[in-house]
Amino acid sequence: MTACGHISKVMLTGLAAIITMSPVLLSADRAGESGKAKIMPPPVGNVQVEDAFWAPRLKVYREKTIPHSWNYMGWEIRALKAANGLKVDGDLNNTWGEANLYKFMETCAYSLAMHPDEQLEKRIDEIIELLSGAQQPDGYLHAYVTNAGKTPWDPAFLDGSHDGYVLGHMIEAALEYDAATGKKTFLAIAQKAADQAYEHFLGPNGVPGFCGHAELEMALVELYRAVPNKRYLDLSRAFVEWRGRGKVKPFSETPRAYFQDEVPLRRQTALDGHAVRAVFFAAGVADIALETGDCDYRLAANRFWDSVTLRRMYITGSAGAREEHEAFGEDYELPNDGYCESCAACGMLDFAQRMFMLERTSQPIDVLERTLYNAVLHGISLDGTTTYYRNPLSDRDRPRDNCWVCCPPNLSRTLFQVGRYAYAFTNEDIYVNLFVGGSCTIPWKKDPVSLHVSTDYPWNGDIEIRVAAEAPRQFALHLRIPEWCRDAGIMLNGRQMTPLPLTDAGYVRIERPWKNHDTVKLTLPMPVMKMQAHPAVQSCAGKIALQRGPLVYGFEGIDNEGIDLHLAANSRFDTEHRPDMLGGVTVLRTRSKDGRDLTAIPFYALANRQNSTQEVWVRQEGARPDTRWWLAKLYRPIE
Ligand SMILES: [Zn+2]
């Protein structure tokens, strides 16, 4: 890590700078200090997903989810038409509605990157034409505001107008559409809108402020990466610096923490307030740390990360316990019927991936994997057309919803990125973070390398990785050893590697001149684990949860009708793979205290047969809070 060398220098100059300089000057002062080889995920189109777990899902999202969600874009299209001066019948959208359309367009961009589709591309091009017509001469583009005759970036309504949130999703969709199709119109529209935002906030007559719903911060950094104009990085940073200084009025009774405005960044110790806004904000802070090398930002991102993952996260990776203000609770306040918004889980993946890129350790990816395979996948039904806005760990027979606003399009745009979450690379390294069957081409300009992965993950932990390279190439292959795995094994070209070349960062690291057909076999044993929560989590006292590999399990009423979920002391579990059930799942079987059969299925697969009760944490006869040594863990297996 380069942190130590940086901290002393940057913190000293930083402290002086906070007092005297504007955010822009701060940024100008420190830009380019990063110094590390760039790390990045591959483009979505470089990853072919071909395994039995993810490939059928992506097919469902492509064939069912995209057409279904299009049915819910009517009000957004009408709003764009109205902003083009066309006559329309029917309701127009609300303040945050256009973000739904951009999330839909981003979803389509990923699908097109993997699977060209002329019809779909034509549909997106038609929307882009409407966007072009709705854009104001100065670049501002938010049809809701234009149609309602409201003030762009209204200083009296910055917390409620969602101007920045909508623009952030527009930028992300435009970047992905450019990457997928090479067409530049959408990106030009988004860039013009970002330039308007820059002029509004940081131009000669700039007005300090920020959108109350974070999102634009990370989108601007992504735009800066693609179109290296430093103004986007400066604006992102200004939005962070202006927080906690009373620049934005709360639009209702909400506390300032709701929109991360209670205290300035350097005094903010934990992630608070509206969980979705908070994790998006934190992801933006991590992004700025990555691009500037600023230690204040890096330290803040780490404080935020620790506050969530060590004290405020569910075992499924969900975040945001409270329904009131859709907010984080206090430390260890994790009621099993808590709020757990799908969007917060999606945001956790954004945040986790950036924390990995910042620290290059496996722990953020452990959280990413936990959240992806549990909270995020639970949000969407197996048939891809109904969703949960909330994903509590204990639920009555609450039906899924087929409406497609807010969380649903966020789930689809997130799930299409599974290939991007699976890998990362620098000029000298390839990281294999998730185990997804198929292939990935690392887009090195000279001597590109592909990895071909065969696996039945997450049902078993045997993973074979074969290198394809035209010429031998020296690089370090980093394979993540998940936190849940003990006794991992690895073979290189048929020979066992002992001891395991495990680094402090949580990876097996093999550096050598790799050549065509070199093969690594990774074995990750997956016993059923009885998990316990930190003793301060009152809702889990005397209870256990089941986990196997990355999957957290749950009990559903339909399999355990009328049975009191009270496990026998020292209960044992049998596993059985059921290809015929729920798209193919490994189920766990055990016995209740009074000797009846119980069945648990993966948490993500709950609520896919009929409306039924769902339960993750269950009582076990004799289970007691374990108060020994709980350093840096919120959940751990019972030994
Ligand atoms: Zn949502």
Side-chain angles (χ1 to χ4, degrees), residues 311-327:
R311 301 189 295 277
R312 298 183 178 185
M313 185 182 77
Y314 287 90
I315 194 170
T316 54
S318 270
R322 291 185 186 170
E323 181 160 9
E324 188 184 20
H325 304 315
E326 302 180 310

Side-chain angles (χ1 to χ4, degrees), residues 344-404:
C346 295
M348 280 296 288
L349 302 198
D350 291 326
F351 187 19
Q353 196 182 31
R354 285 156 178 82
M355 288 308 292
F356 155 72
M357 292 197 291
L358 198 55
E359 303 302 337
R360 302 193 190 177
T361 55
S362 63
Q363 189 263 359
I365 302 297
D366 289 333
V367 172
L368 189 154
E369 180 178 66
R370 178 179 292 284
T371 310
L372 173 65
Y373 279 91
N374 298 291
V376 171
L377 270 183
H378 181 266
I380 190 161
S381 60
L382 295 177
D383 74 359
T385 60
T386 61
T387 59
Y388 272 140
Y389 197 97
R390 301 182 43 209
N391 304 277
L393 283 68
S394 171
D395 211 347
R396 297 302 107 197
D397 47 356
R398 192 169 54 96
R400 291 173 182 273
D401 200 339
N402 57 11
C403 179
W404 219 263

Side-chain angles (χ1 to χ4, degrees), residues 190-429:
Q191 210 179 327
K192 194 174 164 191
D195 289 339
Q196 191 278 336
Y198 180 87
E199 287 305 317
H200 177 84
F201 288 103
L202 286 177
N205 304 309
V207 201
F210 56 89
C211 176
H213 198 313
E215 155 67 24
L216 185 51
E217 292 80 356
M218 59 175 155
L220 283 167
V221 178
E222 284 176 31
L223 183 60
Y224 164 72
R225 290 185 183 122
V227 187
N229 183 334
K230 219 176 120 290
R231 57 169 36 198
Y232 305 127
L233 185 61
D234 288 342
L235 183 56
S236 175
R237 193 182 169 103
F239 288 148
V240 175
E241 291 292 334
W242 279 325
R243 285 170 191 267
R245 302 177 197 277
K247 307 269 184 216
V248 168
K249 272 209 275 295
F251 75 95
S252 62
E253 298 296 299
T254 51
R256 286 192 175 276
Y258 176 77
F259 53 102
Q260 297 70 53
D261 190 34
E262 198 169 50
V263 289
L265 179 79
R266 293 162 187 79
R267 299 216 314 266
Q268 207 174 334
T269 54
L271 216 46
D272 268 316
H274 188 280
V276 181
R277 295 171 183 231
V279 291
F280 284 11
F281 168 68
V285 169
D287 256 339
I288 295 169
L290 264 166
E291 291 305 324
T292 62
D294 185 325
C295 278
D296 286 351
Y297 277 65
R298 183 172 169 192
L299 289 169
N302 275 285
R303 288 196 300 278
F304 296 154
W305 181 252
D306 288 352
S307 74
V308 179
T309 61
L310 302 181
R311 301 189 295 277
R312 298 183 178 185
M313 185 182 77
Y314 287 90
I315 194 170
T316 54
S318 270
R322 291 185 186 170
E323 181 160 9
E324 188 184 20
H325 304 315
E326 302 180 310
F328 279 106
E330 297 291 324
D331 287 349
Y332 306 112
E333 179 189 334
L334 295 162
N336 288 320
D337 59 353
Y339 197 65
C340 303
E341 182 176 341
S342 288
C343 280
C346 295
M348 280 296 288
L349 302 198
D350 291 326
F351 187 19
Q353 196 182 31
R354 285 156 178 82
M355 288 308 292
F356 155 72
M357 292 197 291
L358 198 55
E359 303 302 337
R360 302 193 190 177
T361 55
S362 63
Q363 189 263 359
I365 302 297
D366 289 333
V367 172
L368 189 154
E369 180 178 66
R370 178 179 292 284
T371 310
L372 173 65
Y373 279 91
N374 298 291
V376 171
L377 270 183
H378 181 266
I380 190 161
S381 60
L382 295 177
D383 74 359
T385 60
T386 61
T387 59
Y388 272 140
Y389 197 97
R390 301 182 43 209
N391 304 277
L393 283 68
S394 171
D395 211 347
R396 297 302 107 197
D397 47 356
R398 192 169 54 96
R400 291 173 182 273
D401 200 339
N402 57 11
C403 179
W404 219 263
V405 298
C406 188
C407 298
N410 209 354
L411 288 165
S412 59
R413 74 184 262 277
T414 299
L415 287 162
F416 264 114
Q417 295 180 68
V418 60
R420 167 181 288 171
Y421 298 132
Y423 302 94
F425 68 98
T426 73
N427 269 338
E428 298 115 26
D429 309 86

Side-chain angles (χ1 to χ4, degrees), residues 462-474:
D462 296 337
I463 299 136
E464 183 181 293
I465 300 169
R466 189 169 48 78
V467 173
E470 276 186 24
R473 176 169 179 142
Q474 181 86 19

Side-chain angles (χ1 to χ4, degrees), residues 101-106 109 124-125 127-129 131-132 135 141 166-167 169-178 181-193 223:
L101 182 67
Y102 295 131
K103 290 181 224 176
F104 168 80
M105 293 171 83
E106 189 182 338
I124 304 299
D125 287 338
I127 302 171
I128 292 168
E129 227 176 284
L131 289 172
S132 174
Q135 188 160 37
L141 175 49
V166 167
L167 175 56
H169 279 297
M170 183 205 304
I171 291 169
E172 289 176 343
L175 286 167
E176 296 309 328
Y177 195 65
D178 174 46
T181 64
K183 293 179 178 172
K184 300 289 174 198
T185 313
F186 191 9
L187 187 54
I189 291 169
Q191 210 179 327
K192 194 174 164 191
L223 183 60

